[in-house]
Amino acid sequence: MVVLVTGVLSSLLKSLTHLCNNCKMYQVKNTSEQDRLVQLLPSYYEQWRKRSVRLCSALVRVTSILLPFMDCQLQVEALESLLSFVKSFYRLVDQVVKQLALTGSSCPLQSISQLVDRVSSNLTPSVYVQIHGIQKEGKKGSHARKQAKLVPELIYSIEQYETSLIQINKKTKGNVNLTMYIRRSTARDFRIDTTVLSKKMEVAEDDNDLGSEPKRRKKRQSSESCVCS
């Protein structure tokens, strides 16, 4: 069920990424010149704002779909699939927020604030809880190897997103302050148990060596019999 849902959401994410790329506003560095362009081309900027609001609303709905799954106790395979999608989701949210928040007076601040609030206040804490739990569940070597890559990449995506919120606050001199939604305590309290992860990797390598040893014996016996004959 979860794998099916994440597959559908992944297709939706591609469409939203395409919409995000089409939502790039024509901007100039001079503030007064930018305001003049808005007045000269009101229909263009109005259409841009509508697309931006729809994009934020769609991402809020995706977050709402993810949250119930984040509160469930899922099997390892399903949880890995879900967290893999969430990693891509954070990257897109990061791109959208940076792109829309730095557009001056045209910034759809209410829509961005709603998106950031939903993601930072609700989704991020649940993601960290699931990350902590997945390392306890993933006991097989294949899961350990996959999580050794997935978990750090997911955490990096979240941290990049939160860093962007801080940078936006600085660049806009506090006019667009989205850092109020960041729950730093959740991230600071979280620690990756690298010791457990390393042990799982060692066990997986030992299992592979044990599994391949009989094959090597058979090959040696076969070659010896050929030599004898």
Side-chain angles (χ1 to χ4, degrees):
M1 176 64 178
V2 175
V3 176
L4 178 62
V5 171
T6 53
V8 174
L9 290 177
S10 296
S11 299
L12 177 59
L13 208 63
K14 291 180 181 179
S15 300
L16 294 178
T17 301
H18 180 70
L19 179 59
C20 176
N21 294 332
N22 290 335
C23 276
K24 293 182 179 179
M25 178 194 280
Y26 178 72
Q27 286 183 276
V28 293
K29 292 184 178 180
N30 188 289
T31 304
S32 59
E33 184 66 19
Q34 183 67 53
D35 293 337
R36 191 172 75 87
L37 284 173
V38 174
Q39 293 176 359
L40 290 174
L41 303 169
S43 60
Y44 167 80
Y45 287 97
E46 182 62 28
Q47 289 298 320
W48 175 87
R49 186 179 179 85
K50 289 180 179 179
R51 288 197 301 270
S52 301
V53 170
R54 286 200 301 268
L55 178 58
C56 290
S57 299
L59 291 172
V60 169
R61 286 195 292 270
V62 173
T63 308
S64 300
I65 295 172
L66 290 173
L67 286 174
F69 292 103
M70 284 297 173
D71 293 333
C72 296
Q73 188 172 0
L74 303 173
Q75 294 182 350
V76 179
E77 293 84 355
L79 187 53
E80 286 175 348
S81 176
L82 182 62
L83 293 182
S84 180
F85 170 79
V86 170
K87 177 186 67 176
S88 300
F89 178 72
Y90 269 96
R91 289 175 179 173
L92 178 57
V93 172
D94 180 30
Q95 180 184 350
V96 169
V97 171
K98 285 189 296 186
Q99 186 169 302
L100 303 185
L102 300 176
T103 53
S105 58
S106 299
C107 169
L109 184 56
Q110 184 176 354
S111 296
I112 296 177
S113 298
Q114 184 183 8
L115 172 61
V116 173
D117 182 18
R118 192 75 167 149
V119 172
S120 298
S121 301
N122 300 113
L123 183 60
T124 300
S126 298
V127 171
Y128 277 114
V129 170
Q130 292 289 11
I131 289 174
H132 183 72
I134 195 174
Q135 295 184 78
K136 296 180 180 180
E137 296 294 333
K139 299 179 180 180
K140 297 181 180 179
S142 60
H143 292 297
R145 287 191 293 271
K146 187 173 183 179
Q147 292 165 25
K149 181 180 179 181
L150 173 60
V151 171
E153 288 182 349
L154 174 55
I155 294 174
Y156 178 76
S157 297
I158 297 174
E159 291 179 345
Q160 283 294 104
Y161 155 72
E162 293 181 341
T163 299
S164 295
L165 300 184
I166 297 172
Q167 291 174 346
I168 289 169
N169 184 39
K170 291 180 179 179
K171 288 182 179 180
T172 61
K173 298 180 181 180
N175 291 329
V176 182
N177 183 13
L178 302 170
T179 58
M180 66 183 77
Y181 303 109
I182 302 176
R183 295 179 59 177
R184 283 293 180 186
S185 59
T186 303
R188 286 174 180 170
D189 291 343
F190 177 76
R191 295 291 184 273
I192 301 176
D193 197 339
T194 53
T195 304
V196 174
L197 208 56
S198 299
K199 288 181 179 179
K200 290 179 180 179
M201 294 291 289
E202 291 175 0
V203 171
E205 291 176 356
D206 292 340
D207 290 342
N208 290 335
D209 291 339
L210 290 173
S212 58
E213 183 61 28
K215 295 181 180 179
R216 286 198 292 268
R217 289 177 182 174
K218 289 182 180 179
K219 288 183 179 179
R220 284 199 298 269
Q221 292 175 357
S222 177
S223 58
E224 288 175 359
S225 62
C226 291
V227 172
C228 293
S229 59

